[in-house]
């Protein structure tokens, strides 16, 4: 395919999108002609037709805003807790040596499995979901804050010293701006982990925004609308990922 | 403002150990105080003795035991890893070998990778039922993305001279893959597998908490339904230890130098 398409000078992005459209067309044909059961995979035309129903009748926009609110609340907690902890680990080398590997281990632990415990502690409420999102996003924020502050160029710190900046001034005028791009990488990773876990827990405990909507529609056996909401969740996470990536590039114009 | 480190180097490891033990001891004290205080709902914060007893019971239980459920989860995770990583390897090799295919399809993988895969579970349930098949499938889908992206990226980093050597020996495609590509990108492949294993473990366990009658995720959610908090804590501790241990093991594998020899 590549050689033929390239030979005709077809733009690869057009080829990629065209392949997706062709796959959709093939699915439509196979489902309409009963090669595939429409109760398992709905025709793409039905999925597209159900989008307006999902938005108007199932409060799709409200649920999106609910999930977005939970994600930003968890993200704000990640920033408020993660950056100070990262700063402490950087500032006190002994703390870093003692606990940085623990934070790394925390990053690889399946923290989302704590959700039954949080259900007991916080109840079946958005607090449980936000706390799971917060926990999931915390480790990358801490690790990247430490990395960013440690990577500050010696010359910049010396410039601050030559101006006799106080410790607070040194932090806000030199260290924090220099570490900002790396800290933003941590924020991007943290926000992605937050969103993944928040939507996941919404689905698992059937509460909240888009995750709950997926569960509701699946339980009602509304297959087309279930696929439409899954597509909507994918769109939301792609847009968040894209926006964070753009922000990161804006902060790292030289890269 | 620079990092403090006022301690001399030889003393530092001892201080680090003391600091770690001190934090663990402080946390245990706070926990035990919270358990005895009566400030929390009964059993939400059980005593450490109760958790330790539950842990021992969990690990020494008889038939239909923890180990049986561990075996089920391990089978599902390993099957998911095998399917997802083979598919990811093939797709990654194809994308890495062709700049055109990479530009056409890699953005889809790149942007689909960070989406929450658990939301595909209702669809997967319809396709594969509530048995192990659905858990293996969702685990394989989740595992596929990091492996494919890592392999595609790794393949583009292979030194051209190695590829030219293979071509000069007139190696076939299979020989190129086995003798040149895979050994040259061992690091990215192992890293992809490591990431894939991590996300596969998480999604398989989550799927088991949603719809299953076996596996460690099922045990976790059953502990919650029975309000058996000591067992829930014990299970979470074991799961975290297993996941972190698996990750460390894969990390060591990734860091090991194949040229070092026995």
């Amino acid at each position: 395919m590549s050689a033929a398409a390239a030979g005709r000078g077809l733009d690869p992005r057009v080829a990629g999108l065209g392949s997706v459209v062709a796959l959709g067309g093939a699915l439509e044909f196979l489902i309409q002609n009963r090669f595939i059961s429409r109760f398992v995979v709905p025709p793409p035309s039905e999925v597209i037709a159900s989008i307006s129903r999902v938005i108007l009748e199932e409060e799709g926009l409200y649920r999106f805003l609910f999930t977005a609110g939970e994600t930003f609340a968890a993200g704000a907690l990640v920033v408020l807790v993660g950056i100070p902890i990262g700063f402490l680990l950087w500032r006190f080398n002994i703390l870093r040596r003692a606990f940085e590997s623990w934070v790394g281990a925390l990053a690889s632990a399946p923290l989302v499995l704590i959700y039954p415990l949080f259900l007991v502690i916080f109840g079946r409420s958005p607090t449980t979901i936000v706390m799971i999102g917060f926990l999931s996003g915390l480790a990358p924020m801490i690790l990247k804050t430490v990395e960013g502050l440690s990577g500050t160029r010696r010359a910049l710190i010396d410039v601050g010293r030559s101006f006799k900046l106080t410790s607070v001034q040194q932090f806000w005028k030199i260290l924090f701006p220099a570490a900002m791009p790396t800290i933003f990488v941590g924020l991007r990773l943290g926000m992605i982990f937050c969103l993944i876990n928040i939507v996941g827990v919404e689905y698992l405990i059937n509460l909240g925004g888009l995750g709950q909507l997926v569960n509701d529609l699946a339980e009602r056996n509304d297959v087309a609308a279930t696929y439409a909401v899954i597509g909507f969740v994918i769109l939301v996470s792609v847009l968040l990922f894209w926006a964070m990536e753009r922000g990161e590039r804006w902060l790292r114009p030289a890269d | 403002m620079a990092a403090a480190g006022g301690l001399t180097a030889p003393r530092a490891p001892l201080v680090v150990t003391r600091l770690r033990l001190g934090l663990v001891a402080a946390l245990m004290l706070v926990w035990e105080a919270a358990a005895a205080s009566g400030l929390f709902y009964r059993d939400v914060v059980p005593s450490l003795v109760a958790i330790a007893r539950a842990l021992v019971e969990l690990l020494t239980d008889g038939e239909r035991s923890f180990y049986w459920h561990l075996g089920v989860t391990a089978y599902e995770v390993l099957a998911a890893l095998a399917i997802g990583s083979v598919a990811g390897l093939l797709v990654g090799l194809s994308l890495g070998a062709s700049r055109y295919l990479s530009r056409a399809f890699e953005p889809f993988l790149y942007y689909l990778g960070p989406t929450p895969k658990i939301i595909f579970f209702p669809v997967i349930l319809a396709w594969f039922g509530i048995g192990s098949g659905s858990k293996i499938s969702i685990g394989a889908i989740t595992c596929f993305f990091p492996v494919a992206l890592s392999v595609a990226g790794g393949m583009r980093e292979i030194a051209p001279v190695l590829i030219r050597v293979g071509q000069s020996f007139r190696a076939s495609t299979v020989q190129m893959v086995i003798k040149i590509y895979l050994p040259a990108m061992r690091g990215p492949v192992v890293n992809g597998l490591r990431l894939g294993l991590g996300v596969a473990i998480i999604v398989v366990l989550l799927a088991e908490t949603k719809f299953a009658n076996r596996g460690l995720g099922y045990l976790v959610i059953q502990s919650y339904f029975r309000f058996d908090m000591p067992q829930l804590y014990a299970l979470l501790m074991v799961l975290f230890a297993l996941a972190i241990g698996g990750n460390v093991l894969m990390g060591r594998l990734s860091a090991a130098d194949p040229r070092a020899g026995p």
Side-chain angles (χ1 to χ4, degrees), chain A residues 67-80:
Chain A
T67 299
E70 288 172 337
T71 307
F72 283 108
L77 280 174
V78 162
V79 170
L80 287 174

PDB file of all heavy atoms in Angstrom, chain A residues 67-80:
ATOM      1  N   THR A  67     -16.984  15.442  34.031  1.00  0.00           N
ATOM      2  CA  THR A  67     -15.693  14.729  33.981  1.00  0.00           C
ATOM      3  C   THR A  67     -14.538  15.723  33.916  1.00  0.00           C
ATOM      4  O   THR A  67     -13.515  15.547  34.593  1.00  0.00           O
ATOM      5  CB  THR A  67     -15.656  13.788  32.761  1.00  0.00           C
ATOM      6  OG1 THR A  67     -16.710  12.841  32.892  1.00  0.00           O
ATOM      7  CG2 THR A  67     -14.337  13.044  32.657  1.00  0.00           C
ATOM      8  N   ALA A  68     -14.721  16.790  33.100  1.00  0.00           N
ATOM      9  CA  ALA A  68     -13.656  17.798  32.986  1.00  0.00           C
ATOM     10  C   ALA A  68     -13.427  18.459  34.337  1.00  0.00           C
ATOM     11  O   ALA A  68     -12.273  18.689  34.735  1.00  0.00           O
ATOM     12  CB  ALA A  68     -14.042  18.845  31.935  1.00  0.00           C
ATOM     13  N   GLY A  69     -14.518  18.757  35.062  1.00  0.00           N
ATOM     14  CA  GLY A  69     -14.393  19.379  36.384  1.00  0.00           C
ATOM     15  C   GLY A  69     -13.628  18.492  37.346  1.00  0.00           C
ATOM     16  O   GLY A  69     -12.732  18.959  38.060  1.00  0.00           O
ATOM     17  N   GLU A  70     -13.972  17.195  37.356  1.00  0.00           N
ATOM     18  CA  GLU A  70     -13.261  16.256  38.233  1.00  0.00           C
ATOM     19  C   GLU A  70     -11.778  16.191  37.856  1.00  0.00           C
ATOM     20  O   GLU A  70     -10.900  16.173  38.725  1.00  0.00           O
ATOM     21  CB  GLU A  70     -13.859  14.853  38.099  1.00  0.00           C
ATOM     22  CG  GLU A  70     -15.226  14.705  38.741  1.00  0.00           C
ATOM     23  CD  GLU A  70     -15.875  13.368  38.415  1.00  0.00           C
ATOM     24  OE1 GLU A  70     -15.513  12.745  37.386  1.00  0.00           O
ATOM     25  OE2 GLU A  70     -16.760  12.949  39.160  1.00  0.00           O
ATOM     26  N   THR A  71     -11.517  16.173  36.534  1.00  0.00           N
ATOM     27  CA  THR A  71     -10.121  16.070  36.073  1.00  0.00           C
ATOM     28  C   THR A  71      -9.334  17.309  36.491  1.00  0.00           C
ATOM     29  O   THR A  71      -8.193  17.199  36.967  1.00  0.00           O
ATOM     30  CB  THR A  71     -10.073  15.905  34.543  1.00  0.00           C
ATOM     31  OG1 THR A  71     -10.907  14.803  34.184  1.00  0.00           O
ATOM     32  CG2 THR A  71      -8.669  15.655  34.044  1.00  0.00           C
ATOM     33  N   PHE A  72      -9.948  18.495  36.343  1.00  0.00           N
ATOM     34  CA  PHE A  72      -9.215  19.707  36.710  1.00  0.00           C
ATOM     35  C   PHE A  72      -9.061  19.835  38.226  1.00  0.00           C
ATOM     36  O   PHE A  72      -8.044  20.342  38.699  1.00  0.00           O
ATOM     37  CB  PHE A  72      -9.864  20.939  36.085  1.00  0.00           C
ATOM     38  CG  PHE A  72      -9.531  21.057  34.630  1.00  0.00           C
ATOM     39  CD1 PHE A  72     -10.474  20.805  33.659  1.00  0.00           C
ATOM     40  CD2 PHE A  72      -8.241  21.363  34.220  1.00  0.00           C
ATOM     41  CE1 PHE A  72     -10.158  20.863  32.304  1.00  0.00           C
ATOM     42  CE2 PHE A  72      -7.905  21.425  32.870  1.00  0.00           C
ATOM     43  CZ  PHE A  72      -8.864  21.176  31.910  1.00  0.00           C
ATOM     44  N   ALA A  73     -10.063  19.352  38.969  1.00  0.00           N
ATOM     45  CA  ALA A  73      -9.919  19.370  40.442  1.00  0.00           C
ATOM     46  C   ALA A  73      -8.755  18.471  40.854  1.00  0.00           C
ATOM     47  O   ALA A  73      -7.911  18.865  41.677  1.00  0.00           O
ATOM     48  CB  ALA A  73     -11.211  18.894  41.093  1.00  0.00           C
ATOM     49  N   ALA A  74      -8.709  17.272  40.267  1.00  0.00           N
ATOM     50  CA  ALA A  74      -7.610  16.348  40.580  1.00  0.00           C
ATOM     51  C   ALA A  74      -6.277  16.945  40.123  1.00  0.00           C
ATOM     52  O   ALA A  74      -5.270  16.858  40.841  1.00  0.00           O
ATOM     53  CB  ALA A  74      -7.849  14.998  39.907  1.00  0.00           C
ATOM     54  N   GLY A  75      -6.277  17.577  38.929  1.00  0.00           N
ATOM     55  CA  GLY A  75      -5.056  18.201  38.399  1.00  0.00           C
ATOM     56  C   GLY A  75      -4.569  19.318  39.319  1.00  0.00           C
ATOM     57  O   GLY A  75      -3.369  19.460  39.566  1.00  0.00           O
ATOM     58  N   ALA A  76      -5.517  20.128  39.840  1.00  0.00           N
ATOM     59  CA  ALA A  76      -5.135  21.215  40.743  1.00  0.00           C
ATOM     60  C   ALA A  76      -4.501  20.647  42.013  1.00  0.00           C
ATOM     61  O   ALA A  76      -3.489  21.163  42.494  1.00  0.00           O
ATOM     62  CB  ALA A  76      -6.361  22.055  41.085  1.00  0.00           C
ATOM     63  N   LEU A  77      -5.079  19.563  42.542  1.00  0.00           N
ATOM     64  CA  LEU A  77      -4.497  18.922  43.729  1.00  0.00           C
ATOM     65  C   LEU A  77      -3.101  18.387  43.432  1.00  0.00           C
ATOM     66  O   LEU A  77      -2.188  18.500  44.260  1.00  0.00           O
ATOM     67  CB  LEU A  77      -5.396  17.769  44.197  1.00  0.00           C
ATOM     68  CG  LEU A  77      -6.629  18.141  45.024  1.00  0.00           C
ATOM     69  CD1 LEU A  77      -7.474  16.906  45.277  1.00  0.00           C
ATOM     70  CD2 LEU A  77      -6.202  18.752  46.348  1.00  0.00           C
ATOM     71  N   VAL A  78      -2.965  17.808  42.245  1.00  0.00           N
ATOM     72  CA  VAL A  78      -1.654  17.275  41.839  1.00  0.00           C
ATOM     73  C   VAL A  78      -0.607  18.386  41.857  1.00  0.00           C
ATOM     74  O   VAL A  78       0.505  18.209  42.369  1.00  0.00           O
ATOM     75  CB  VAL A  78      -1.755  16.627  40.426  1.00  0.00           C
ATOM     76  CG1 VAL A  78      -0.383  16.465  39.798  1.00  0.00           C
ATOM     77  CG2 VAL A  78      -2.459  15.287  40.503  1.00  0.00           C
ATOM     78  N   VAL A  79      -0.978  19.553  41.323  1.00  0.00           N
ATOM     79  CA  VAL A  79      -0.039  20.689  41.290  1.00  0.00           C
ATOM     80  C   VAL A  79       0.239  21.185  42.713  1.00  0.00           C
ATOM     81  O   VAL A  79       1.401  21.385  43.099  1.00  0.00           O
ATOM     82  CB  VAL A  79      -0.617  21.830  40.418  1.00  0.00           C
ATOM     83  CG1 VAL A  79       0.207  23.099  40.567  1.00  0.00           C
ATOM     84  CG2 VAL A  79      -0.650  21.398  38.959  1.00  0.00           C
ATOM     85  N   LEU A  80      -0.828  21.366  43.493  1.00  0.00           N
ATOM     86  CA  LEU A  80      -0.683  21.949  44.833  1.00  0.00           C
ATOM     87  C   LEU A  80       0.126  21.052  45.768  1.00  0.00           C
ATOM     88  O   LEU A  80       0.835  21.543  46.650  1.00  0.00           O
ATOM     89  CB  LEU A  80      -2.066  22.210  45.445  1.00  0.00           C
ATOM     90  CG  LEU A  80      -2.827  23.393  44.850  1.00  0.00           C
ATOM     91  CD1 LEU A  80      -4.236  23.469  45.412  1.00  0.00           C
ATOM     92  CD2 LEU A  80      -2.084  24.697  45.128  1.00  0.00           C
TER      93      LEU A  80
END
